[in-house]
Amino acid sequence: MAKDQKKQPRPKAETPKGFRDYFGADVTERKAMLDRIAEVYHRHGFDPLETSAVETVEALGKFLPDVDRPNAGVFAWQEEAVPGGGSGDWLALRYDLTAPLARVAAQFRNDLPTPYRRYAMGPVWRNEKPGPGRFRQFYQCDADTVGAASVAADAEICGMLGDALEAVGIARGDYLVRINNRKVLNGVLEAAEVRPDQAEDVLRQIDKFDKVGRDGVLALLTTGRRDDSGAQIDGVGLSEAQAAPVLAFLTSKGAGNAETLANLRAAIGSSAIGAEGVDELAEIAALLAAAGVAEDRAVIDPSVVRGLGYYTGPVFEAELTFEILDEKGRKRQFGSVAGGGRYDGLVERFTGQKVPATGVSIGVDRLLAALRAKGLAGAEAAGPVVVTVMDRDRMADYQTMAAELRAAGIRAEVYLGNPKNFGNQLKYADKRSAPVAVIQGGDEAARGVVQVKDLILGAKIAAEASVEEWKAQPAQTEVARADLVAEVRRILG
Amino acid sequence: MAKDQKKQPRPKAETPKGFRDYFGADVTERKAMLDRIAEVYHRHGFDPLETSAVETVEALGKFLPDVDRPNAGVFAWQEEAVPGGGSGDWLALRYDLTAPLARVAAQFRNDLPTPYRRYAMGPVWRNEKPGPGRFRQFYQCDADTVGAASVAADAEICGMLGDALEAVGIARGDYLVRINNRKVLNGVLEAAEVRPDQAEDVLRQIDKFDKVGRDGVLALLTTGRRDDSGAQIDGVGLSEAQAAPVLAFLTSKGAGNAETLANLRAAIGSSAIGAEGVDELAEIAALLAAAGVAEDRAVIDPSVVRGLGYYTGPVFEAELTFEILDEKGRKRQFGSVAGGGRYDGLVERFTGQKVPATGVSIGVDRLLAALRAKGLAGAEAAGPVVVTVMDRDRMADYQTMAAELRAAGIRAEVYLGNPKNFGNQLKYADKRSAPVAVIQGGDEAARGVVQVKDLILGAKIAAEASVEEWKAQPAQTEVARADLVAEVRRILG
């Protein structure tokens, strides 16, 4: 076998395109964030669910339901059909956490409580063209309530989302949960006398509201407009009178929920479904107020259009409202970090029965990026105390030192590389972001002392100090061996 | 599209064969265990690494290195070759956490510290025939040190493994880390004048030591034996004199490390590689003693044979020594929960350079089963306080109660199903393992009180009490609305 290997070219040490690894603080910071979110979800009565990463293509459905990515694919393969073994089924990696929830809700419908509140956190996979910052494996963090028809479930999730954002460190005032309702839009379409065959086109144009604004959408709904490149984009062909309720809907946000709801009632005219939608929003507003969630945390906002095409009732989105600098150094709002809403037909594919459900998904990478931008993540990156090896025959002594430090709760390790070159040991400590190095040669051992080097102070001195200051080595202290732990603790603060 | 779906049969709501979901406590108990292990690893200077679940088949290698499962397969598929998109590469799900570590160690060899200590926890996938308790996705939990030639790295991992077991709740005395060395075996094979072409056969028979014992191995090494079914199994053909050092090796465990090491020195005769192996074991024993790890926690034990064929130096295995009842009600030791050792060639496949490495893998499911058997996991299963809905118009009041309880750190939720049938609400609370139900009808609301029902006490009374006792309803208390949180807290203890 060794011979065979020599003939073959060496394999490339690379992840597949679009995949990546997470090292050290990348892992711990995300984990700390998700742990805090999980605690909030758990306190709200949500139970964790971890489904298998692999599903049958049949159970998963072949395509993503998200209208933003209609052609997105899955990683799928066919099992070998082996007697007593593989089934010949097509299997695939899950592309989100909702499709597996649908399968679980159907498979275990007789065992799960109704309603079933669950949260799920884990990787999902998309067979898409990778690009900068766009990976084919990424984390999702979802909470859903299955089997609750009441919009109390939607209100609960909106409030919980705010709690989760605060739990990870986003200050009140730095986020806003904005809530809309697909039924109100349906009412508006009725009031505007939009024909059923036009509805999808109208929805598509509304989806551009964030980008092209009121006048842009007006043009797109009526006679069309020219885009930035000068190309003519056809309009849907509504009259201005028809477009008016749609624009009224999109721009009906008032100074507070009461005013917004009044504007919406005007926009839907006499539509029954529209009135149902406005009533739902009013109930959500009342429930949030009762739960102490003020309008500066969660607010009715009909300009939320993302996902309106996918969801069937209330729709919500959490935005971070503080400003960051973009790649070009311009200030901009951080923007959306979570979205969700109410959807039907989750379980229907499997059982034929409609089961109401509502849920939210937090964009894990985006929220983590926000925490980093605000300086709220990164403290975990501190490296271990490194016990250096001056004398390789006394490895047991060095291990004892490290064991003592660890017993005191201090992260510590012995240098385990070739100890010959002491400079390499300090370079290693630097690479490890070690705050302290411990040094004991034979001379120090004989005198019962140990050198403790403050590497953070040392780096500061190296950068700023004069030669005289540097020579005085204030960052290195000799202490009695028995005082090692106390001295390290003093330096770590 | 709705029409198309009606024509198709409904998809089956099932995981693929050999896959499973984890609910509630299954998730939190495993997580709590892994969190404690991660803390120990972190304190020892190990950094987390989370590699992508998908690797190229080329980087992964097509087959498992574990000799126990030579035909085990991976889940693999070929990417479509699309210009600017898929590469046409064969991709696969990782089958363990060591192969991806090899790829990472090669890919990032200029960026990672040397030595590189890392831990990894996560699912792996095996395309094997599923069976009872045998799944095709399961968790692994590994710690490895890459780039440290010194057996101080092995000793560190053995000590850390003991710390990890204690951290999850296994008492000192209930586990034992047993350590052996492949080099000693190599020395024994030299002393026994085993021909190179016989070595693999000898190894295979040694691997049966746990099962067939000393005399069984003697027969297998020499003239063969009859197995339980009466079939004749050929022997390797060694003389009894040749077999003697091998048996001396396997049975050289003495009353303590000193005696064991003396027995091993005798078994290896004049073999240089054997002497190197014994010296390594002696050094590991000394390092463990210096770090305060006594022989009742980690001990040299040449009867550890599992993995000897795979590893190249020290080999270790952690056993839980307490007894449990097996499926047939017989007492037996719980047995192995972790194993590891030193291996070469980890990075060599990629770079051509030998990089020394050593590591350990904890069997996550087995260790969790052990914790459950000892009653050390399961406390997390407590459900939320359920606020019932007597009057659906006062949903806001009920949400306020739940919000107050949560603000006091108590897990609480409002019943969100159809509130019409109150019995269903109590059944729901039972299914949720709720410790407390909160009840407030219009009458109670008017009087400013709330009913708090102790469901655990209630269940006890229902099971044990007389009719009179039951009627007195000692498990249900009426308190002032303002005292809700205090009363719930009192019941929860």
Side-chain angles (χ1 to χ4, degrees):
Chain A
M1 182 160 147
K3 256 187 196 167
D4 284 354
Q5 277 188 349
K6 273 184 195 157
K7 283 182 205 157
Q8 288 170 6
R10 285 182 192 140
K12 281 195 217 93
E14 283 174 9
T15 46
K17 244 185 161 178
F19 291 89
R20 57 164 296 194
D21 305 306
Y22 295 85
F23 292 88
D26 289 341
V27 178
T28 49
E29 287 171 16
R30 183 181 59 206
K31 184 177 177 304
M33 183 182 88
L34 292 179
D35 281 357
R36 280 186 208 118
I37 294 172
E39 204 200 313
V40 171
Y41 288 176
H42 184 262
R43 201 158 62 232
H44 280 76
F46 285 67
D47 272 347
L49 169 67
E50 192 176 307
T51 61
S52 76
V54 178
E55 298 273 351
T56 64
V57 164
E58 182 193 356
L60 211 51
K62 249 183 183 167
F63 298 103
L64 288 169
D66 188 337
V67 289
D68 289 328
R69 314 182 181 222
N71 298 314
V74 298
F75 290 105
W77 63 91
Q78 189 172 19
E79 282 216 278
E80 266 183 275
V82 182
S87 57
D89 282 345
W90 276 89
L91 304 184
L93 292 175
R94 64 182 180 209
Y95 55 78
D96 70 5
L97 301 173
T98 308
L101 171 62
R103 195 258 308 149
V104 165
Q107 182 172 356
F108 300 98
R109 62 189 177 281
N110 296 325
D111 306 311
L112 292 172
T114 301
Y116 175 49
R117 289 176 175 94
R118 85 90 178 79
Y119 67 86
M121 299 169 167
V124 301
W125 293 266
R126 304 244 172 124
N127 193 358
E128 292 174 338
K129 194 178 155 181
R134 191 164 171 187
F135 294 99
R136 304 205 285 173
Q137 173 179 333
F138 54 92
Y139 261 69
Q140 288 197 335
C141 166
D142 287 18
D144 293 82
T145 301
V146 180
S150 161
V151 293
D154 303 88
E156 176 177 89
I157 282 179
C158 290
M160 183 170 79
L161 183 54
D163 284 355
L165 293 174
E166 291 184 22
V168 301
I170 306 290
R172 206 166 281 191
D174 272 349
Y175 72 88
L176 186 60
V177 179
R178 298 158 65 217
I179 306 161
N180 198 357
N181 195 325
R182 170 63 196 254
K183 287 181 186 172
V184 179
L185 172 63
N186 285 352
V188 165
L189 296 183
E190 265 186 36
E193 294 176 358
V194 171
R195 293 193 314 269
D197 64 294
Q198 293 173 314
E200 208 164 305
D201 276 350
V202 171
L203 229 66
R204 196 173 308 126
Q205 306 311 345
I206 283 178
D207 223 28
K208 296 180 186 156
F209 178 66
D210 285 344
K211 223 155 122 189
V212 304
R214 184 197 178 283
D215 293 345
V217 171
L218 172 59
L220 289 166
L221 289 176
T222 53
T223 56
R225 68 187 283 269
R226 283 190 193 284
D227 72 6
D228 291 347
S229 70
Q232 176 66 24
I233 300 171
D234 286 344
V236 179
L238 300 188
S239 68
E240 292 230 355
Q242 283 183 295
V246 179
L247 295 169
F249 165 70
L250 291 173
T251 58
S252 55
K253 174 99 174 65
N257 284 345
E259 190 182 329
T260 304
L261 291 166
N263 290 343
L264 286 177
R265 286 210 194 276
I268 55 161
S270 60
S271 162
I273 185 77
E276 194 179 313
V278 178
D279 288 347
E280 286 181 3
L281 287 177
E283 192 177 342
I284 290 173
L287 286 166
L288 288 169
V293 180
E295 292 186 24
D296 62 343
R297 294 167 68 197
V299 70
I300 308 298
D301 185 344
S303 69
V304 175
V305 291
R306 231 181 39 165
L308 272 185
Y310 171 58
Y311 295 108
T312 57
V315 178
F316 23 89
E317 183 160 35
E319 275 193 350
L320 301 188
T321 52
F322 57 80
E323 287 183 329
I324 55 158
L325 298 179
D326 69 9
E327 314 81 56
K328 292 179 182 166
R330 290 172 306 208
K331 278 188 182 181
R332 62 166 185 82
Q333 278 209 349
F334 192 89
S336 175
V337 291
R342 180 167 283 275
Y343 47 96
D344 290 331
L346 177 76
V347 186
E348 195 180 10
R349 272 186 69 227
F350 294 102
T351 65
Q353 287 182 302
K354 268 206 194 315
V355 175
T358 183
V360 69
S361 185
I362 292 178
V364 173
D365 290 323
R366 275 191 63 76
L367 183 55
L368 192 53
L371 296 186
R372 288 185 179 137
K374 289 286 268 187
L376 294 167
E380 292 258 2
V385 171
V386 171
V387 178
T388 60
V389 175
M390 297 294 281
D391 180 353
R392 75 167 77 201
D393 291 340
R394 289 196 306 109
M395 190 56 100
D397 291 349
Y398 302 125
Q399 292 284 11
T400 306
M401 292 179 202
E404 279 175 26
L405 289 165
R406 287 196 288 259
I410 297 166
R411 191 179 189 206
E413 57 171 57
V414 175
Y415 179 74
L416 286 182
N418 187 336
K420 214 172 160 186
N421 181 330
F422 189 69
N424 279 349
Q425 299 197 43
L426 289 185
K427 268 185 216 155
Y428 171 85
D430 185 50
K431 206 160 200 173
R432 297 287 285 122
S433 306
V436 171
V438 176
I439 305 161
Q440 191 194 51
D443 164 57
E444 281 106 352
R447 290 191 291 117
V449 297
V450 62
Q451 302 278 341
V452 181
K453 199 173 165 74
D454 182 337
L455 296 174
I456 292 162
L457 181 59
K460 212 177 144 201
I461 289 171
E464 298 170 6
S466 66
V467 174
E468 287 71 29
E469 287 172 316
W470 189 80
K471 275 189 177 162
Q473 295 220 340
Q476 188 162 329
T477 318
E478 183 175 297
V479 297
R481 171 66 183 80
D483 295 334
L484 169 63
V485 171
E487 174 64 10
V488 170
R489 203 179 254 149
R490 189 191 64 74
I491 294 174
L492 296 179
Chain B
M1 184 161 146
K3 258 188 198 167
D4 285 355
Q5 276 188 350
K6 272 183 196 157
K7 283 181 207 157
Q8 288 171 8
R10 284 182 193 140
K12 279 196 220 91
E14 282 173 9
T15 46
K17 243 185 161 180
F19 291 89
R20 56 165 296 192
D21 305 305
Y22 295 85
F23 292 88
D26 289 341
V27 178
T28 49
E29 286 172 16
R30 183 181 58 206
K31 184 177 178 305
M33 183 181 89
L34 292 178
D35 281 357
R36 283 189 205 115
I37 294 172
E39 204 200 312
V40 170
Y41 289 176
H42 184 262
R43 200 158 63 231
H44 280 76
F46 285 68
D47 273 347
L49 168 67
E50 191 175 308
T51 61
S52 75
V54 178
E55 299 273 350
T56 64
V57 165
E58 182 193 356
L60 211 51
K62 248 183 186 170
F63 298 103
L64 290 168
D66 188 335
V67 288
D68 290 328
R69 315 181 181 222
N71 298 315
V74 297
F75 290 106
W77 63 90
Q78 189 172 18
E79 282 216 276
E80 267 183 275
V82 182
S87 56
D89 282 345
W90 276 89
L91 304 184
L93 292 175
R94 64 183 179 206
Y95 56 77
D96 71 5
L97 299 173
T98 308
L101 172 62
R103 194 259 307 151
V104 165
Q107 182 172 355
F108 300 99
R109 61 189 179 281
N110 296 326
D111 306 310
L112 292 172
T114 302
Y116 175 50
R117 288 177 175 94
R118 86 88 179 80
Y119 67 86
M121 297 169 169
V124 301
W125 294 266
R126 304 246 172 122
N127 193 358
E128 293 173 338
K129 194 178 155 180
R134 191 165 171 187
F135 295 99
R136 303 206 284 174
Q137 172 178 334
F138 54 92
Y139 260 70
Q140 289 197 333
C141 166
D142 287 17
D144 294 83
T145 301
V146 179
S150 161
V151 292
D154 303 271
E156 176 177 87
I157 282 180
C158 290
M160 183 169 78
L161 182 54
D163 284 354
L165 293 175
E166 291 185 21
V168 301
I170 306 289
R172 205 165 282 191
D174 272 350
Y175 72 88
L176 186 60
V177 180
R178 298 157 64 215
I179 307 161
N180 197 358
N181 195 326
R182 169 64 196 254
K183 287 182 186 170
V184 178
L185 172 63
N186 285 353
V188 166
L189 297 182
E190 265 188 35
E193 293 177 359
V194 171
R195 293 193 316 266
D197 65 296
Q198 293 173 313
E200 208 163 306
D201 276 349
V202 170
L203 228 64
R204 195 172 310 125
Q205 307 311 346
I206 283 177
D207 223 27
K208 297 178 185 156
F209 179 68
D210 285 344
K211 223 155 121 189
V212 303
R214 183 195 178 284
D215 294 345
V217 171
L218 171 59
L220 288 166
L221 289 176
T222 53
T223 57
R225 69 188 283 268
R226 281 191 194 283
D227 71 7
D228 291 346
S229 70
Q232 176 67 24
I233 300 172
D234 286 345
V236 179
L238 300 188
S239 68
E240 293 227 356
Q242 282 182 295
V246 178
L247 294 168
F249 165 69
L250 290 173
T251 59
S252 56
K253 174 96 174 65
N257 283 344
E259 190 182 328
T260 305
L261 290 166
N263 290 342
L264 286 176
R265 287 215 191 274
I268 55 160
S270 60
S271 161
I273 185 77
E276 195 179 311
V278 178
D279 288 346
E280 286 181 2
L281 287 178
E283 192 178 342
I284 289 173
L287 285 167
L288 287 170
V293 180
E295 292 186 24
D296 62 343
R297 296 169 66 197
V299 69
I300 308 299
D301 185 345
S303 70
V304 175
V305 292
R306 229 181 42 165
L308 272 185
Y310 171 59
Y311 295 109
T312 56
V315 178
F316 22 91
E317 184 161 32
E319 274 193 348
L320 301 189
T321 52
F322 57 81
E323 287 182 331
I324 56 159
L325 299 179
D326 69 11
E327 313 82 56
K328 292 180 182 167
R330 290 172 307 207
K331 279 189 180 181
R332 63 166 184 81
Q333 279 210 350
F334 191 89
S336 175
V337 291
R342 179 166 283 276
Y343 47 98
D344 290 332
L346 178 76
V347 186
E348 195 180 12
R349 272 185 70 228
F350 294 102
T351 65
Q353 288 181 304
K354 267 203 195 317
V355 174
T358 184
V360 70
S361 185
I362 292 179
V364 173
D365 290 322
R366 274 190 65 73
L367 182 56
L368 192 53
L371 296 186
R372 289 186 178 136
K374 290 286 267 186
L376 294 166
E380 293 257 1
V385 171
V386 171
V387 179
T388 59
V389 175
M390 298 292 281
D391 180 354
R392 75 168 76 200
D393 292 339
R394 291 197 301 107
M395 191 56 102
D397 291 349
Y398 302 125
Q399 292 284 10
T400 306
M401 293 179 201
E404 278 175 27
L405 289 165
R406 287 194 288 260
I410 297 166
R411 192 180 188 206
E413 58 171 55
V414 175
Y415 178 73
L416 286 183
N418 187 335
K420 215 170 159 188
N421 182 330
F422 188 68
N424 279 349
Q425 299 198 42
L426 289 185
K427 268 185 215 152
Y428 170 85
D430 185 50
K431 204 160 200 173
R432 299 286 286 124
S433 305
V436 172
V438 176
I439 306 162
Q440 193 195 51
D443 165 57
E444 280 105 351
R447 290 191 291 119
V449 298
V450 62
Q451 301 278 344
V452 181
K453 199 174 165 73
D454 182 337
L455 297 174
I456 292 162
L457 181 58
K460 212 178 145 204
I461 290 170
E464 298 170 6
S466 66
V467 174
E468 288 68 32
E469 287 173 316
W470 188 80
K471 275 187 177 165
Q473 294 221 343
Q476 188 162 328
T477 319
E478 183 176 297
V479 297
R481 170 66 184 81
D483 295 335
L484 169 64
V485 171
E487 175 63 10
V488 171
R489 202 178 256 148
R490 188 192 64 75
I491 294 174
L492 296 178

